């Protein structure tokens, strides 16, 4: 059977699929180390993430650590794991809160939307369009109840909090948080954004 990887750099005739990501090697077709390590599938296109600034990494680590200190036992927070939203959609959110039962499976490479309760995207210059316009509607259509978008404002985070309206299958903005993030859902959360764990 011909693999999608053999067609690189063109997509295979059937187009890239969510399952193809599990079959891509970590090294590139010409031996480039970790070539496919930071790739996600957006509407059938492979998107390679560029190196991130320290702000981006600090927000991811800080939010994940803070969420894990607050999550109830049936949930777990983790970083940069794919969510399979459809045949040609497999984004990799910066932070996600999932069912603890599936978090215990160390063989998983992605999660289903029904296993995910919150996705967080930390916006960087190269990801603005995807994080603001492309991914949120896809997360909403898949039924993920909570979405946060983190933006940098003078070196400090601003968190835009959205909740899914089940009638419209679209996100509604429920708050813009500076300095402190306090929300009751998906579980009680109170995070000092200016003093995140490093």
């Amino acid at each position: 059977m011909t693999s999608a990887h053999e067609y690189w750099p063109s997509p295979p005739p059937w187009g890239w699929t969510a399952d193809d990501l599990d079959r891509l090697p970590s090294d590139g077709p010409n031996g480039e180390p970790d070539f496919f390590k930071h790739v996600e599938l957006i509407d059938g296109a492979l998107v390679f993430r560029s190196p991130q600034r320290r702000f981006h990494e600090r927000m991811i680590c800080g939010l994940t650590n803070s969420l894990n200190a607050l999550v109830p036992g049936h949930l777990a927070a983790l970083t940069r794991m794919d969510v399979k939203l459809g045949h040609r959609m497999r984004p990799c959110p910066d932070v996600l809160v999932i069912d603890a039962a599936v978090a215990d499976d160390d063989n998983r490479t992605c999660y289903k939307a029904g296993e995910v309760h919150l996705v967080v995207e930390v916006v960087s210059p190269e990801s603005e369009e995807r994080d603001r316009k492309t991914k949120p509607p896809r997360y909403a259509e898949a039924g993920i109840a909570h979405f946060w978008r983190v933006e940098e404002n003078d070196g400090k985070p601003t968190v835009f909090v959205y909740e899914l309206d089940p009638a419209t299958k679209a996100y509604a903005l429920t708050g813009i948080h500076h300095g402190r993030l306090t929300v009751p859902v998906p579980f009680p959360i109170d995070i000092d954004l200016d003093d995140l764990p490093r």
Side-chain angles (χ1 to χ4, degrees), residues 60-184:
I60 292 171
C61 291
L63 286 172
T64 304
N65 290 338
S66 297
L67 288 168
N68 270 321
L70 298 169
V71 291
H74 67 284
L75 299 175
L78 42 101
T79 64
R80 295 183 174 154
M81 287 291 292
D82 293 358
V83 180
K84 188 175 179 181
L85 302 181
H87 186 59
R88 300 196 184 281
M89 193 72 181
R90 187 169 152 174
C92 184
D94 290 315
V95 180
L96 52 166
V97 173
I98 63 171
D99 293 329
V102 295
D104 290 338
D105 183 352
D106 288 339
N107 292 316
R108 294 289 290 266
T109 59
C110 64
Y111 298 102
K112 300 173 190 169
E115 299 166 333
V116 180
H117 302 270
L118 165 68
V119 289
V120 182
E121 295 289 359
V122 180
V123 177
S124 58
E126 65 87 23
S127 71
E128 285 180 0
E129 195 77 13
R130 291 190 306 278
D131 292 345
R132 292 174 181 168
K133 296 179 182 177
T134 305
K135 291 183 181 181
R138 301 304 196 289
Y139 292 140
E141 288 164 9
I144 297 173
H146 303 279
F147 170 72
W148 298 353
R149 192 182 78 244
V150 182
E151 304 262 359
E152 183 180 2
N153 187 3
D154 292 329
K156 295 189 174 185
T158 300
V159 180
F160 297 80
V161 173
Y162 298 85
E163 189 170 343
L164 184 66
D165 178 341
T168 63
K169 287 282 191 186
Y171 285 127
L173 180 67
T174 60
I176 301 173
H177 301 263
H178 309 268
R180 188 161 215 97
L181 170 61
T182 304
V183 292

Side-chain angles (χ1 to χ4, degrees), residues 186-198:
F187 51 89
I189 296 170
D190 185 9
I191 298 174
D192 185 346
L193 296 171
D194 292 336
D195 191 30
L196 286 172
R198 291 177 178 260

Side-chain angles (χ1 to χ4, degrees), residues 35-46:
F35 186 80
F36 289 109
K37 185 177 179 182
H38 301 292
V39 65
E40 56 188 341
L41 186 72
I42 307 294
D43 293 329
L46 294 181

